[in-house]
Amino acid sequence: MSNEDIEKVSSSPTNSDSVGRPSDDKHHIEVVDSVGLAVPSYHADAGAHEDDEIDEKKLIRRLDWALIPWLSFLYLLSFLDRTSVGNAKLYNMEADLGITDTQYLICLSVFFISYAVFEVPSNVFLKRLRPSIWLSSLMFFWGIMMTVQGLVHNYGGLLGTRWMLGVFEAGLFPGVNYYLSCWYKRTEFGVRAAIFFSAATVSGAFGGLLAAGIANMDGIGGKPAWIKRAWIFILEGLATVVAGAASFFIIQDFPDTARFLTEPERAFIIRRLQADDQFSAAGEELRWKYIWESIFDWKTWIGMLLYMGADGPLYAFSLFLPSIISELGYDATPANLLSVPVYVVACIFTCGVGFMADRIGMRGYFTICFFPIAAAGYIILIVSRSAALSYFAVYLAACGIYPLIPNIIAWVSNNVEGSYKRSVTLAMVISFGNINGAVSSNVYRARDKPWYTLGHGIVLMYIGIGFITALVFFFFLRRENARRIRGERDEIIVGVDDGSEKAEEIGNAKNGRYESVDDAKRDKGDEWSGYRYTL
């Protein structure tokens, strides 16, 4: 794609086009590349006098109600669909399908492989296409796969449906986190990401209740031998198909094309994001430059290890919590029910940490503090031989693991500027964490019953990696901020400091020469000298 753009102001009246996008007024421009693809953009200072007429708090509440509830519901369905296999396992799924414990673990692993592979391209497609089309299509097809999963009768069928489930689910979690980061300021994103992710904890609780309820459906359909585990998949899959169809009409697109906002409100949202150093909020053309910047950014790779340290334990915990509780002496249905309060407490902690991190602004400190909490839970699980103590440790582990996921995503997102760069970075970070789900889903082997010492030990190793990486990430971010404060990263702005003694003394020429500060911001993104990383 060409890097030369032509900016043009649309001459059509202030109406929406056939796909519901605002066509134009004094705020809206389009950047058109050489192949004729329009990228919506805005003048950040256009109509600034209208800001006084907009109630910012009221507008943000409207955004919250328009975006968060439905997206959280979609993620509830997503996490419910991917982890319900753990509930179905308690109802003799392995015997019904004639599969071994090793084959069951392979079926768990193959989901994470396809899930991780398709996350980065999915995020790029999300930016290029409309979220309302892309996300709703993914949901619809993964709902079909989930339903089919309830109809399989052998190992090959389960393996194939788990692979396809990963393909279609891959785009939701990284896509929605990137999507939300395009709507909210950096100090607002954390609690929204936490609320969105808390749907995972709700799904854990709801999944246990649903599985316990389905256990009483024996004999429905005249197939009592497989009906319990089959109905878990079929009912959840059909609900996802319906939600996917509805999502086309409910999901909003990006701020510059949101149908539920007026044109002044759209421009206001763009300006407040740009004031928060999100310079690309007005629109950005897809260039390979942004993708390479993400790939070669040290923050991407450290973020991948950091997220791995939390995501590996997350999937091990969510997939095997019912089995862990059942090995403490409880039958399948009581084990599912006893998992419910664990997820409720985890949900409360997740939202609380998200709120406090936004208010205090120190996401790194929260990350560093919660890894040891998760580690304490797994240390107790390793050494405990008491059912009561182990059940307490499960709470401790959940309260340490679950708040880390949205907080790490918000921390990484806060420190990457450029809409495409942030899209790719988040997808790489999340996909690398998810590929480790293929590992962590194999650590709880049937022969390690009842205490699963090896599995708990491997999860503890993941937590240790995450903790060390969090310290490294925090150190390098703080060091880079200090260098920028000292002026070591200052660019030369033509007509301001070119030729000055200070510029020559520090060697600012190596940091770039720009016609204006705005040019430096747009070109360098988070590498701009005035950008401060979130600690």
Side-chain angles (χ1 to χ4, degrees):
M1 185 176 295
S2 172
N3 290 342
E4 297 182 358
D5 302 326
I6 303 171
E7 290 191 352
K8 69 176 185 179
V9 178
S10 174
S11 58
S12 58
T14 311
N15 293 319
S16 295
D17 63 19
S18 60
V19 293
R21 298 185 177 209
S23 55
D24 185 22
D25 75 4
K26 58 188 175 184
H27 304 293
H28 188 254
I29 64 174
E30 287 181 338
V31 178
V32 180
D33 62 28
S34 59
V35 295
L37 294 173
V39 180
S41 185
Y42 280 80
H43 289 299
D45 57 349
H49 65 280
E50 296 175 351
D51 288 359
D52 295 336
E53 302 174 6
I54 297 176
D55 186 330
E56 183 174 6
K57 290 184 178 179
K58 184 177 179 180
L59 179 58
I60 297 304
R61 285 196 297 270
R62 283 181 60 203
L63 295 186
D64 289 340
W65 283 108
L67 305 178
I68 305 300
W70 186 254
L71 293 174
S72 298
F73 174 68
L74 299 187
Y75 190 56
L76 183 152
L77 292 176
S78 169
F79 210 82
L80 193 65
D81 289 352
R82 80 180 68 165
T83 58
S84 59
V85 67
N87 297 116
K89 180 176 181 284
L90 296 180
Y91 298 109
N92 301 315
M93 182 182 71
E94 291 175 318
D96 292 344
L97 297 179
I99 62 177
T100 65
D101 183 62
T102 300
Q103 289 175 323
Y104 170 75
L105 293 176
I106 292 173
C107 289
L108 294 186
S109 301
V110 75
F111 168 87
F112 294 104
I113 295 173
S114 60
Y115 190 94
V117 167
F118 287 95
E119 282 183 297
V120 173
S122 180
N123 254 24
V124 174
F125 277 116
L126 175 68
K127 180 62 180 174
R128 292 294 288 172
L129 302 175
R130 295 167 55 191
S132 57
I133 294 177
W134 185 247
L135 295 179
S136 60
S137 298
L138 292 178
M139 282 208 64
F140 183 82
F141 287 112
W142 103 51
I144 292 176
M145 287 299 104
M146 185 67 180
T147 305
V148 172
Q149 189 173 247
L151 304 177
V152 301
H153 291 275
N154 53 48
Y155 170 64
L158 183 63
L159 188 69
T161 54
R162 291 292 294 178
W163 170 271
M164 294 306 299
L165 197 63
V167 170
F168 292 121
E169 282 198 39
L172 184 70
F173 187 66
V176 169
N177 277 289
Y178 163 67
Y179 169 77
L180 291 177
S181 75
C182 295
W183 280 92
Y184 292 100
K185 294 166 64 175
R186 292 189 291 170
T187 55
E188 300 167 339
F189 175 52
V191 69
R192 274 81 183 181
I195 293 172
F196 167 67
F197 176 73
S198 67
T201 62
V202 174
S203 76
F206 182 70
L209 290 172
L210 180 62
I214 290 174
N216 297 317
M217 297 178 64
D218 222 358
I220 295 178
K223 299 177 180 179
W226 59 273
I227 202 64
K228 290 181 182 179
R229 60 94 182 165
W231 275 114
I232 292 175
F233 298 134
I234 293 171
L235 292 180
E236 293 175 7
L238 291 176
T240 304
V241 169
V242 173
S247 293
F248 176 77
F249 303 99
I250 298 175
I251 293 177
Q252 300 294 327
D253 294 322
F254 292 108
D256 50 1
T257 59
R259 297 184 297 271
F260 73 106
L261 297 176
T262 64
E263 190 65 35
E265 288 172 338
R266 283 189 285 267
F268 179 82
I269 293 295
I270 297 298
R271 284 195 297 273
R272 70 190 296 273
L273 292 174
Q274 291 178 324
D276 188 47
D277 286 342
Q278 296 188 47
F279 323 121
S280 60
E284 189 175 68
E285 176 196 350
L286 174 61
R287 300 177 184 175
W288 278 105
K289 167 189 173 181
Y290 303 134
I291 296 176
W292 291 122
E293 283 178 351
S294 173
I295 293 174
F296 291 110
D297 190 345
W298 64 270
K299 299 189 302 296
T300 301
W301 296 94
I302 293 183
M304 289 163 65
L305 289 173
L306 175 60
Y307 190 70
M308 177 192 77
D311 210 35
L314 171 73
Y315 284 115
F317 184 89
S318 59
L319 285 169
F320 288 94
L321 178 60
S323 296
I324 293 171
I325 295 177
S326 69
E327 291 306 320
L328 299 179
Y330 298 98
D331 294 331
T333 297
N336 277 322
L337 292 176
L338 282 172
S339 69
V340 173
V342 177
Y343 287 113
V344 172
V345 173
C347 178
I348 295 171
F349 269 78
T350 299
C351 294
V353 169
F355 175 78
M356 292 302 298
D358 275 357
R359 294 292 296 271
I360 299 174
M362 297 180 179
R363 304 195 192 283
Y365 290 97
F366 282 97
T367 301
I368 292 169
C369 289
F370 272 79
F371 271 116
I373 295 175
Y378 276 95
I379 290 172
I380 295 174
L381 283 172
I382 290 173
V383 302
S384 171
R385 293 300 178 264
S386 163
L389 182 58
S390 296
Y391 188 57
F392 165 76
V394 164
Y395 280 91
L396 204 58
C399 291
I401 293 171
Y402 278 84
L404 283 170
I405 300 297
N407 194 60
I408 290 172
I409 290 172
W411 195 18
V412 172
S413 175
N414 283 177
N415 291 311
V416 179
E417 168 47 22
S419 59
Y420 276 108
K421 181 181 178 182
R422 187 167 63 250
S423 169
V424 174
T425 296
L426 285 178
M428 288 180 64
V429 167
I430 294 172
S431 66
F432 188 72
N434 285 329
I435 196 63
N436 283 274
V439 178
S440 61
S441 62
N442 284 277
V443 300
Y444 288 99
R445 303 173 302 178
R447 62 176 177 268
D448 295 328
K449 293 179 181 180
W451 302 109
Y452 295 111
T453 302
L454 176 64
H456 296 329
I458 293 176
V459 170
L460 189 60
M461 178 196 70
Y462 271 104
I463 294 171
I465 293 172
F467 178 69
I468 293 171
T469 310
L471 293 174
V472 172
F473 197 44
F474 182 88
F475 171 79
F476 280 109
L477 291 176
R478 186 172 64 177
R479 188 178 70 170
E480 181 60 27
N481 279 347
R483 286 176 172 173
R484 296 181 183 190
I485 291 171
R486 292 194 298 267
E488 296 177 20
R489 305 300 193 206
D490 287 356
E491 302 83 6
I492 293 178
I493 305 301
V494 175
V496 177
D497 49 14
D498 52 328
S500 68
E501 292 183 5
K502 179 183 177 183
E504 296 299 329
E505 194 175 290
I506 301 179
N508 285 8
K510 68 181 181 181
N511 298 323
R513 180 184 298 268
Y514 296 92
E515 294 294 326
S516 67
V517 173
D518 284 345
D519 288 343
K521 289 180 179 180
R522 294 189 187 97
D523 182 64
K524 300 189 72 174
D526 58 81
E527 294 181 1
W528 172 57
S529 61
Y531 191 95
R532 294 295 179 265
Y533 291 125
T534 299
L535 300 179

